[in-house]
Amino acid sequence: MYCQRKPTLNALTSTVATSAEAAQAFPIPDNVFAETVTEVRHYTDRLFRFRTTRPASFRFRSGEFVMIGLPNADRPVFRAYSVASPAWDDELEFFSIKVPGGPLTEYLQKIKVGDTILMRKKPTGTLVIDALLPGKRLYLLSTGTGVAPFASLIRDPEVYEKFDEVILVQTCREVAELAYAHELYDEVANHEFLGELAAGKLRLYDSATREPHPRQGRVTDLIDSGKLFSDLGVPPFDPSTDRAMICGSMAMIKDTKDRLEHFGLVEGANNAPNTFVVERAFVG
Ligand code: A2P
């Protein structure tokens, strides 16, 4: 799924439909794309991914997010979702949490192939290569659905042109939640063109916090203990060579950002590139 900054909280009207008939009942609002769901895959009872058609005119930079909604109300609820697919893909992919009672995900988790989703037209976000100064090693640090923007970036050839090493880090509560990142890694490694570009560059470092796993613990603890670096066989964060992107919960971002700053990295933005950037994972 996605990373979000501030959600656009359109009030949910009293009339909310729950199923495909809703698409007939409510008009498509102006200024949104109405796209068709082409694939849905559920990983756990908390996480799923879906793919949709892509509007011919829709352009975005790998790592950006868009606002997604459903045609199930007079004023649909929109939430920010990182586009998980790369900029060259014919379709769009999203990775989503299922929040019980969540104003959007309660309904979104029930979508099926052929259903319609709404997408606002303008992508945005800070997890883009242009917001980082040139470097050698890129860390993509994520928890849960925070991996979504990185799913886009690790499938973008540009990332391998710009960096010698790309380390995708994902921590989840449960082992089954790590499956999406493993699939992504395998997809890149076996891809006709990307496989060659990524060979010897892309590395996946995963950990689980609430189930037994060969790598146990939060990313912050793995940084503090030095285990992240010793497992990877690399020196600790170095602002002269290392760049990072962070995507997770607010608490995860704050705690991970503290660690990067401790090692001398500095937060950047689109208009002021520096050595790391952050974006909050969507949680509603
Ligand atoms: P934990 O199981 O110890 O809470 P969530 O689904 O709540 O967003 O959590 C996803 C993963 O992020 C979990 O493994 C969780 O660990 C971890 N996590 C939660 N808060 C932080 C934090 N402040 N710093 C680093 N990791 C965190």
Side-chain angles (χ1 to χ4, degrees):
M1 139 181 149
Y2 29 76
C3 263
Q4 131 177 4
R5 282 167 171 183
K6 205 164 175 308
T8 302
L9 285 170
N10 285 356
L12 196 59
T13 61
S14 54
T15 42
V16 174
T18 57
S19 64
E21 90 241 350
Q24 321 295 325
F26 296 95
I28 303 294
D30 290 339
N31 297 320
V32 301
F33 294 118
E35 296 305 308
T36 305
V37 176
T38 58
E39 188 191 310
V40 183
R41 175 136 24 122
H42 294 268
Y43 290 87
T44 67
D45 57 3
R46 291 203 325 136
L47 297 176
F48 71 112
R49 83 165 199 184
F50 60 97
R51 291 178 67 87
T52 72
T53 53
R54 175 175 174 175
S57 63
F58 180 67
R59 297 277 174 273
F60 67 101
R61 293 184 293 173
S62 297
E64 288 188 315
F65 66 85
V66 285
M67 305 304 293
I68 295 282
L70 286 171
N72 63 354
D74 289 329
R75 295 177 60 203
V77 171
F78 282 84
R79 288 286 185 270
Y81 275 74
S82 293
V83 183
S85 46
W88 53 262
D89 201 329
D90 289 342
E91 290 190 336
L92 297 173
E93 182 175 311
F94 302 95
F95 187 49
S96 180
I97 200 158
K98 308 173 193 177
V99 180
L104 176 61
T105 63
E106 178 69 20
Y107 304 101
L108 193 64
Q109 64 181 280
K110 296 179 183 129
I111 54 168
K112 297 194 173 52
V113 171
D115 286 355
T116 300
I117 65 128
L118 308 178
M119 189 175 90
R120 292 221 178 107
K121 294 189 173 174
K122 202 176 153 4
T124 186
T126 49
L127 301 181
V128 292
I129 296 174
D130 291 347
L132 292 175
L133 296 171
K136 290 192 170 10
R137 183 179 294 124
L138 176 63
Y139 285 93
L140 303 171
L141 305 168
S142 67
T143 50
T145 54
V147 76
F150 305 147
S152 177
L153 282 157
I154 65 165
R155 290 184 278 187
D156 187 333
E158 191 187 352
V159 88
Y160 304 107
E161 286 156 18
K162 296 255 166 86
F163 293 94
D164 298 338
E165 210 173 344
V166 178
I167 303 175
L168 175 62
V169 178
Q170 190 193 21
T171 304
C172 287
R173 297 179 186 187
E174 296 169 15
V175 175
E177 294 174 334
L178 299 165
Y180 180 61
H182 281 263
E183 273 181 27
L184 290 168
Y185 179 85
D186 290 345
E187 183 189 323
V188 172
N190 297 319
H191 190 274
E192 198 178 354
F193 305 114
L194 284 176
E196 208 170 307
L197 287 175
K201 292 193 171 186
L202 178 63
R203 306 179 68 182
L204 173 63
Y205 187 91
D206 61 352
S207 74
T209 50
R210 302 192 191 184
E211 278 186 349
H213 188 266
R215 289 161 298 282
Q216 197 84 34
R218 293 181 169 194
V219 61
T220 40
D221 294 334
L222 295 163
I223 293 170
D224 290 346
S225 67
K227 185 169 161 53
L228 175 76
F229 309 112
S230 57
D231 283 351
L232 289 166
V234 297
F237 295 133
D238 177 350
S240 70
T241 52
D242 296 346
R243 303 292 172 259
M245 296 185 177
I246 311 173
C247 189
S249 62
M250 288 307 276
M252 177 273 190
I253 287 176
K254 186 193 168 299
D255 294 347
T256 310
K257 182 176 141 94
D258 286 350
R259 269 62 178 189
L260 293 179
E261 287 172 343
H262 168 79
F263 284 97
L265 279 75
V266 176
E267 186 173 356
N270 273 293
N271 58 0
N274 217 308
T275 45
F276 79 92
V277 281
V278 310
E279 203 126 79
R280 179 158 81 90
F282 170 77
V283 286

